[in-house]
Amino acid sequence: MHDRSLIQRSGIDRRIFLKIASHAAAAAAFAPAALAAAPSAKKYEPFAMGLLIKPFPDPEPKIALVRQLGIPTCFLSLDDYIGKFTPGLVTKMRDALDKHQIVATTVEVVRPEPLKWNFLDGPSTIGIVPRAYRAARMDALKQVSDFAKQLGVDKVQTHCGFMPEDPKDPLYAETVQAIHELTLYCAGNGQSFLMETGQETPTTMLRVIKDVNHPALGVGLDTANLILYGKANPVDAVKILGPYIRAMHAKDGKWPTNPMELGQEVVIGKGEVDFAKVFTGLRAAGYKGAVSIERETSGPQQIEDVRQEKVYLEHVLAQTSNV
């Protein structure tokens, strides 16, 4: 449970704290049982290669591509399906995964719009921090949690947004409350709720984890986003967040030089991410998840880039396997 000193340090409104605390003991008690009772997530080896895919409108060819690339797992980005998570889609997605022997490790939504991926409008449009879009995005996350439960996927991820570094900012307390609600919802479906790194410092994310205080809350590490947003070196972020990291996007990038725009995402191996040190840190932290490649391009060039990135990452993983 939270102690009073933590409430004072974080500046969480007492009314909000009491609302969170009223559920905490029961949540902590049922969480392991709920996780155990959920449909079994399919097994895969720690550090198995993965690929982030957007399977709309037809999952079959995208999942087939994952198999063609020799990758055993996928990370499902499902924004285009919000409001369309039908039983038929469950069957179609499950059949495609089974046919191609691909394990879906994590699902994610970040919409509905607007979403402005920059420093000027990002704080007011991204995630569940902005009041104007919070309810709709929480609803979308609950939809995808229910969908993922039927698929047997045990991790739900999103960008929570530019979470205030000042724990006395009213938006901080509201965000903690929203994350707590989503964590409870996912735990009830036998899932972890993961906050994707990027718009906040690792220290701020750790503070949120401590304030929510629930075993189903974790971190989705995006190695490049920490650099693209100028928030932290991913090697240092692993030192801070390592025990809570349950999924990762393998992605590379360069630091921002224009204070209005994010840094540049680049092919893995061409940016600032030291993957050898990241993997070494994750191994030391006991990481059990996949290594899901995310390349933010499209078309034939994206496929070629992913092929190169897979070879690069497999080489680094082999080098660090006994470190």
Side-chain angles (χ1 to χ4, degrees):
M1 296 291 289
H2 297 74
D3 59 28
R4 188 157 185 79
S5 63
L6 183 56
I7 306 170
Q8 292 168 341
R9 288 199 304 271
S10 299
I12 296 178
D13 178 84
R14 181 166 176 76
R15 176 179 55 81
I16 293 177
F17 164 73
L18 290 172
K19 185 174 181 179
I20 293 175
S22 67
H23 298 287
F30 84 69
L35 290 167
S40 297
K42 292 190 177 179
K43 304 300 182 184
Y44 53 95
E45 292 296 319
F47 294 91
M49 294 303 302
L51 181 63
L52 184 150
I53 60 172
K54 299 179 179 181
F56 184 85
D58 182 4
E60 170 73 25
K62 299 291 180 66
I63 292 171
L65 175 62
V66 178
R67 172 51 58 194
Q68 291 164 17
L69 291 169
I71 296 173
T73 78
C74 67
F75 183 112
L76 297 172
S77 177
L78 299 175
D79 283 303
D80 292 303
Y81 285 114
I82 293 172
K84 305 171 185 176
F85 293 116
T86 63
L89 179 61
V90 173
T91 300
K92 195 171 186 179
M93 194 83 71
R94 186 188 294 132
D95 287 350
L97 291 166
D98 289 345
K99 176 181 177 181
H100 299 288
Q101 297 184 306
I102 300 297
V103 177
T105 62
T106 312
V107 299
E108 180 170 40
V109 293
V110 296
R111 294 181 192 167
E113 302 279 4
L115 292 158
K116 304 295 183 182
W117 304 100
N118 59 43
F119 294 127
L120 186 63
D121 298 309
S124 63
T125 63
I126 296 173
I128 58 174
V129 175
R131 294 182 180 115
Y133 313 114
R134 187 182 300 147
R137 288 175 184 158
M138 290 179 70
D139 178 69
L141 284 161
K142 291 175 181 179
Q143 287 183 43
V144 82
S145 173
D146 291 341
F147 177 74
K149 178 181 179 180
Q150 296 176 79
L151 282 182
V153 178
D154 64 355
K155 290 182 284 293
V156 176
Q157 182 166 311
T158 197
H159 280 287
C160 291
F162 285 76
M163 297 189 288
E165 292 185 46
D166 179 1
K168 294 183 180 179
D169 186 322
L171 280 175
Y172 177 83
E174 294 174 23
T175 301
V176 168
Q177 183 180 17
I179 291 171
H180 182 267
E181 180 180 332
L182 289 166
T183 301
L184 283 181
Y185 193 92
C186 290
N189 278 338
Q191 299 156 338
S192 295
F193 177 62
L194 307 185
M195 303 178 289
E196 182 171 336
T197 58
Q199 294 91 24
E200 63 294 292
T201 65
T203 302
T204 298
M205 184 170 279
L206 181 62
R207 182 181 298 118
V208 171
I209 291 170
K210 298 293 186 181
D211 281 351
V212 171
N213 190 25
H214 193 288
L217 180 61
V219 173
L221 174 69
D222 186 306
T223 51
N225 281 351
L226 289 153
I227 291 172
L228 301 182
Y229 285 87
K231 293 298 185 180
N233 185 304
V235 176
D236 297 325
V238 171
K239 295 175 184 176
I240 296 169
L241 297 168
Y244 303 99
I245 297 172
R246 300 178 191 173
M248 75 167 292
H249 290 167
K251 192 167 72 179
D252 211 344
K254 297 184 178 181
W255 295 96
T257 55
N258 179 342
M260 296 298 181
E261 297 294 335
L262 306 186
Q264 180 187 4
E265 189 241 353
V266 296
V267 173
I268 288 173
K270 304 296 184 181
E272 305 289 342
V273 179
D274 187 333
F275 281 96
K277 289 183 178 179
V278 168
F279 291 146
T280 299
L282 287 172
R283 290 185 194 280
Y287 181 68
K288 303 298 184 185
V291 177
S292 300
I293 296 170
E294 179 183 9
R295 182 66 174 116
E296 294 182 346
T297 56
S298 59
Q301 186 60 52
Q302 182 187 48
I303 297 172
E304 182 55 35
D305 289 349
V306 168
R307 291 184 193 277
Q308 295 177 26
E309 292 177 328
K310 175 178 179 286
V311 172
Y312 180 94
L313 291 169
E314 288 174 336
H315 177 69
V316 177
L317 284 166
Q319 285 186 319
T320 58
S321 62
N322 296 315
V323 175

